[in-house]
Amino acid sequence: MSSSPLDAVRESFETVAADYAQLVKPMFEAASADRVVLAAFAGRLRDHGLGPVADLGCGPGHVTAFLAERGVEAFGVDLSPRMIALAGAAYPGLRFDVGSMTELELADASLGGVLTWYSTHLLPPESVAAAFREIARTLVPGGRLLWGSYVGVDDRVRPEQAYGHPVTYELFMLSIERLVGLIEAAGLVVADRQLTRIPGKERWHARVWASKPPRWTAPTDVGVDR
């Protein structure tokens, strides 16, 4: 039995990892809009000499590899050891680490960029807030964040199955306003946001671009969640 939401995510993705990896890579290759956004993100980082770039919640590594192919020093972090093993096998030239975006084993101001791509909707709000604080801590001044995931009206959903397997995690579809508030509460500056309805589905996804200001200070209220 999972003892925390993060445990539930880890255990569930250990179970679904192989099937997930087979399904999501073709979906990503067909997602031209996502690929355009990610290529632009990589280009901005490369043009400004920003790196390395952490892909948090990297799964089987296909997005990390996409960034690396576009000239940035990208590496992946994921809760699931099985996902990291699959990523390392598929892309042996890249770095992949088991870890949590809520407690990154990275030094302060050590990253030029961070990507979180369809991963934070698996975390409860307090964990999302912790993740953004960790992202802010580890970015260099001027470092960039690209966040993308599903959004809702603070909906909470508990699927029984995913990718052909039973799962125990929950989905937290926070509103775009709440997510932007959490990013700003971590001390990051939001430059742009985009909200799009997924064709044929009653679901929305969003993207937010943010950066760390030159004179960033750590938030004093570590429990903030607005």
Side-chain angles (χ1 to χ4, degrees):
M1 180 66 69
S2 302
S3 59
S4 74
L6 291 181
D7 288 337
V9 172
R10 181 186 299 106
E11 292 166 9
S12 294
F13 277 89
E14 287 288 276
T15 301
V16 307
D19 290 316
Y20 178 92
Q22 289 185 347
L23 287 169
V24 297
K25 186 176 180 180
M27 291 171 60
F28 176 70
E29 291 172 347
S32 58
D34 283 0
R35 291 166 67 87
V36 167
V37 170
L38 291 166
F41 178 62
R44 290 174 188 172
L45 295 171
R46 185 183 63 246
D47 293 346
H48 287 84
L50 290 170
V53 181
D55 177 12
L56 304 182
C58 67
H62 54 288
V63 177
T64 314
F66 182 86
L67 295 177
E69 289 164 1
R70 278 145 189 84
V72 296
E73 182 189 346
F75 68 96
V77 178
D78 199 274
L79 270 175
S80 164
R82 179 60 178 152
M83 284 290 193
I84 291 298
L86 290 170
Y91 308 104
L94 298 180
R95 169 187 164 192
F96 295 98
D97 299 330
V98 176
S100 170
M101 68 176 72
T102 63
E103 294 182 279
L104 293 169
E105 295 183 1
L106 298 169
D108 295 354
S110 59
L111 299 174
V114 171
L115 174 70
T116 62
W117 203 242
Y118 296 99
S119 55
T120 61
H121 65 286
L122 294 160
L123 305 178
E126 62 272 17
S127 294
V128 178
F132 287 138
R133 291 193 297 271
E134 280 290 85
I135 289 167
R137 178 185 67 79
T138 55
L139 280 173
V140 298
R144 310 292 179 87
L145 164 68
L146 172 58
W147 170 92
S149 196
Y150 302 111
V151 293
V153 287
D154 292 344
D155 308 309
R156 188 171 176 173
V157 180
R158 178 174 289 177
E160 294 182 358
Q161 288 201 340
Y163 312 103
H165 299 272
V167 294
T168 58
Y169 59 71
E170 292 184 88
L171 305 176
F172 298 85
M173 307 297 190
L174 305 183
S175 68
I176 183 64
E177 292 81 11
R178 191 174 185 185
L179 284 156
V180 166
L182 293 175
I183 292 171
E184 292 177 336
L188 299 176
V189 177
V190 172
D192 198 8
R193 70 183 82 176
Q194 182 181 50
L195 184 64
T196 308
R197 185 169 182 173
I198 300 173
K201 295 185 178 181
E202 294 295 324
R203 182 179 288 181
W204 295 74
H205 60 200
R207 305 182 185 106
V208 176
W209 291 260
S211 63
K212 183 173 179 176
R215 296 187 178 182
W216 177 85
T217 55
T220 55
D221 183 0
V222 297
V224 67
D225 173 15
R226 61 184 190 182

